[in-house]
Amino acid sequence: MGMEKILNRAADNIRILSASMVEKAKSGHPGGAMGGADYINVLYSQFLNFDPDDMTWANRDRFFLDPGHMSPMLYSMLSLIGTYSMEDLKNFRQWGSVTPGHPEVDFKRGVENTSGPLGQGHAMAVGAAIAERFLVARFGEWMAHKTYAFISDGGIQEEISQGAGRIAGTLGLSNLIMFYDANEVQLSTRVNEVTCEDTAAKYQAWGWNVITINGNNADEIIKALQAANAEKERPTLIIGKTLMGKGAIGANGEDFSDKVSTHGQPLTGAGASIEKTIENLGGDPQNPFTIFPEVAEFYAKVLDEKRTYAKAKKAEQAAWEKANPELAAKLHKFLSGKAPEIDYKAIQHKANIATRAASADVLVALAQQVENMIVSSADLSNSDKTDGFIKGGARNLVKGDFSGAFFQAGVAELTMAVICNGIALHGGIFVACGTFFVFSDYMKPAVRLAALMEVPVKYVWSHDAFRVGEDGPTHQPIEHEAQLRLMEKLENHSGKMSLLALRPADAAETSVAWKMAMENTSTPTALILSRQNITDLPGTDRYDEALQAEKGAYVVCKTGENPDIVLVASGSEVSTLVEGAKLLQERKGITSQIVSVISEGLFRHQEQAYQEQVIPANKPKYGLTAGLSVTLEGLVGCNGRIHGVNHFGYSAPAKVLDEKFGFTGECVFNEVCEMLEK
């Protein structure tokens, strides 16, 4: 059988498997998978480099699927290379299966990313492409590999595609090749009903190489991928005009392709015949879950070729390692993912500074001591103070020179966060990104996927409260910490807190927070930092005392052996409690136990005896939070009192807002007295 015939036969095999999976599950999206089968088949058989016996090989090419609803296409393709069984495909979308409705990252089976919310998958690919260039700049072109992305009409329409397209073009990511499955059909409309843009012109304007082809023609796909692989200056977009539901027919042979109805339901739900469709594609309706013998034979040869390629590349690496032992040791250290050993105590801070400034001090040290780290900011590096990384010596990543380590994302918070997910997924690099806390709203979809994928991205969110002041309510986060604390209560699939949220109370706690963030290599971490200066908490050796924050909460100080009340807060409010406690003791002889809770989630994972020691159940409790009162409800309980901010902020200087909103030692004094007198 000639190459064209076997490629078409294998693509039809993918179409049959995809349609049958959806039909058996009585749920899913067959149309796009049937249309995209030709491209993914050519890509995997002719271009994508990987080791079938070592699917986590660091220098493999990556394939990032953006439209997660096209998972039947991906699973079917991966069944041809042996990472999924027919039984796995039959259990599509069922409890306990490895074939969920939308793909979830599974490197060993060949799934590089979790996708579902459209637009994020291809932006992760941009991150992986950046990571590859970063590593190549440090170790050499011998480890170069490609990143392939697959996007649909919906992903092109999602706003994140603008950020991803702009950034990839600006950075000249010629190692990024994206296929746009342009079938002109989406879930409830035809594409021309919702957009009339010239997609090719748009990507060309961003600096992409654009090739338009018949996306169901194997020969055209091969030529386009050859041209894309030869491109040295620009990322490539291959626009493939494909046929939604290619091969789908009705009981009487009527054509069911190119229909909105075949997008998001089983073919029979759209009125087509699954039996006739399978016959039309050359399969047996009585035994649809099978790999054709000739296709199995073809892919056996393909996999042997992949093994030969990988063996040669690994031999090349071995020779390089032998000639460059120090670099080789560094590379293995990078790829291990182990947290760097940093003397965080040695990092010096000025007295009584904002925690964003203390974070900058830590970032200076990280820039000097962690060679495999990328830090990014959404055009706010000099305000969220991620520019500490630049002051530590990290230059910007720019087109043609990826020896730098700072990624200037521009004003694109969601895109930046998703790209950082892609960098983390690629592996070998620590990654952090920053903006104002209020703009974490833009990033929530990426944070959620980072939590689901269990990737250790670090978020640096400054300007953590209404003390942004004059900027007014649009810039003053109120409900944001409460949202993050919910993420701490949400378990990931490994049974751990899905996200670690840290709001340090002074400079020493900020050093500890960064220590915790860097050592957390299994989930994302958020650092929530102040704009305004904070009075350092009392203590004789603040760093060593702040290390207690590694348990989520600790007693900062007591004003008596058997305190009358427990005062609870996080961040800048802890120092306000210290002021209030002093007044309570001086004026009324009321003694206090002041507790800093950098992470409620982490605190609740400690032994019950420790929790009781820090926040005794039988003591009255007063909580102070610059966010919603509900933020502290789980710590203070229903019999305590919480002073929070349960309304939007106002435009005024920070100190004025502190007075107006009651965030002063005097207010703490008055409210505690009132509470205890009742």
Side-chain angles (χ1 to χ4, degrees), residues 623-645:
L624 185 66
T625 174
L628 291 173
S629 295
V630 72
T631 308
L632 292 181
E633 252 179 32
L635 294 162
V636 172
C638 55
N639 296 321
R641 177 166 179 170
I642 302 170
H643 184 110
V645 181

Side-chain angles (χ1 to χ4, degrees), residues 186-228:
Q186 45 201 84
L187 186 64
S188 63
T189 67
R190 295 195 67 82
V191 170
N192 62 12
E193 295 175 54
V194 298
T195 182
C196 63
E197 71 179 10
D198 184 337
T199 302
K202 180 173 72 173
Y203 276 84
Q204 284 166 344
W206 287 328
W208 286 59
N209 171 35
V210 179
I211 304 168
T212 302
I213 61 169
N214 174 352
N216 293 127
N217 183 295
D219 186 53
E220 290 190 33
I221 294 168
I222 289 170
K223 287 176 181 173
L225 282 168
Q226 286 171 338

Side-chain angles (χ1 to χ4, degrees), residues 464-526:
D464 68 345
F466 61 81
R467 298 176 186 91
V468 178
E470 293 90 340
D471 279 339
T474 60
H475 282 51
Q476 293 173 22
I478 303 296
E479 74 283 15
H480 298 71
E481 187 183 353
Q483 294 175 37
L484 281 186
R485 297 299 172 204
L486 288 177
M487 292 293 288
E488 287 197 320
K489 296 179 193 298
L490 178 66
E491 283 189 358
N492 60 30
H493 286 164
S494 296
K496 297 178 181 177
M497 278 194 321
S498 72
L499 175 136
L500 176 63
L502 305 173
R503 187 166 179 244
D506 66 358
E509 270 194 29
T510 305
S511 286
V512 173
W514 263 112
K515 177 180 184 288
M516 294 164 72
M518 294 301 291
E519 291 175 357
N520 178 19
T521 58
S522 58
T523 64
T525 304

Side-chain angles (χ1 to χ4, degrees), residues 260-280:
V260 171
S261 60
T262 62
H263 183 289
Q265 61 183 330
L267 292 181
T268 52
S273 167
I274 186 67
E275 291 83 5
K276 292 292 183 182
T277 296
I278 292 170
E279 283 181 5
N280 185 45

Side-chain angles (χ1 to χ4, degrees), residues 139-209:
F139 300 107
E141 284 289 338
W142 63 267
M143 68 180 301
H145 46 274
K146 298 289 185 182
T147 300
Y148 294 93
F150 187 111
I151 197 169
S152 64
D153 292 299
I156 290 284
Q157 289 162 33
E158 280 286 357
E159 291 87 343
I160 191 175
S161 68
Q162 170 167 321
R166 169 182 59 79
I167 288 166
T170 301
L171 291 176
L173 294 174
S174 59
N175 58 336
L176 176 65
I177 299 168
M178 183 160 73
F179 180 77
Y180 166 30
D181 182 42
N183 59 38
E184 300 298 326
V185 176
Q186 45 201 84
L187 186 64
S188 63
T189 67
R190 295 195 67 82
V191 170
N192 62 12
E193 295 175 54
V194 298
T195 182
C196 63
E197 71 179 10
D198 184 337
T199 302
K202 180 173 72 173
Y203 276 84
Q204 284 166 344
W206 287 328
W208 286 59
N209 171 35

Side-chain angles (χ1 to χ4, degrees), residues 360-521:
D361 294 336
V362 179
L363 283 166
V364 168
L366 292 177
Q368 294 167 349
Q369 298 180 56
V370 185
E371 295 179 79
N372 59 326
M373 186 169 183
I374 292 175
V375 175
S376 182
S377 181
D379 194 45
L380 285 170
S381 59
N382 54 352
S383 199
D384 60 31
K385 297 302 179 185
T386 50
D387 66 352
F389 203 63
I390 297 171
K391 290 172 182 175
R395 293 174 294 103
N396 289 343
L397 297 167
V398 295
K399 181 177 181 178
D401 182 5
F402 284 79
S403 61
F406 199 94
F407 166 40
Q408 294 284 7
V411 186
E413 292 86 355
L414 173 59
T415 306
M416 171 185 69
V418 177
I419 285 174
C420 288
N421 284 348
I423 292 171
L425 283 170
H426 181 281
I429 302 169
F430 293 97
V431 63
C433 56
T435 186
F436 291 170
F437 191 30
V438 76
F439 300 144
S440 65
D441 276 348
Y442 284 126
M443 300 166 69
K444 294 288 169 36
V447 174
R448 187 173 191 271
L449 277 197
L452 182 58
M453 294 188 294
E454 302 178 29
V455 290
V457 177
K458 327 297 178 193
Y459 306 107
V460 182
W461 286 322
S462 72
H463 295 55
D464 68 345
F466 61 81
R467 298 176 186 91
V468 178
E470 293 90 340
D471 279 339
T474 60
H475 282 51
Q476 293 173 22
I478 303 296
E479 74 283 15
H480 298 71
E481 187 183 353
Q483 294 175 37
L484 281 186
R485 297 299 172 204
L486 288 177
M487 292 293 288
E488 287 197 320
K489 296 179 193 298
L490 178 66
E491 283 189 358
N492 60 30
H493 286 164
S494 296
K496 297 178 181 177
M497 278 194 321
S498 72
L499 175 136
L500 176 63
L502 305 173
R503 187 166 179 244
D506 66 358
E509 270 194 29
T510 305
S511 286
V512 173
W514 263 112
K515 177 180 184 288
M516 294 164 72
M518 294 301 291
E519 291 175 357
N520 178 19
T521 58

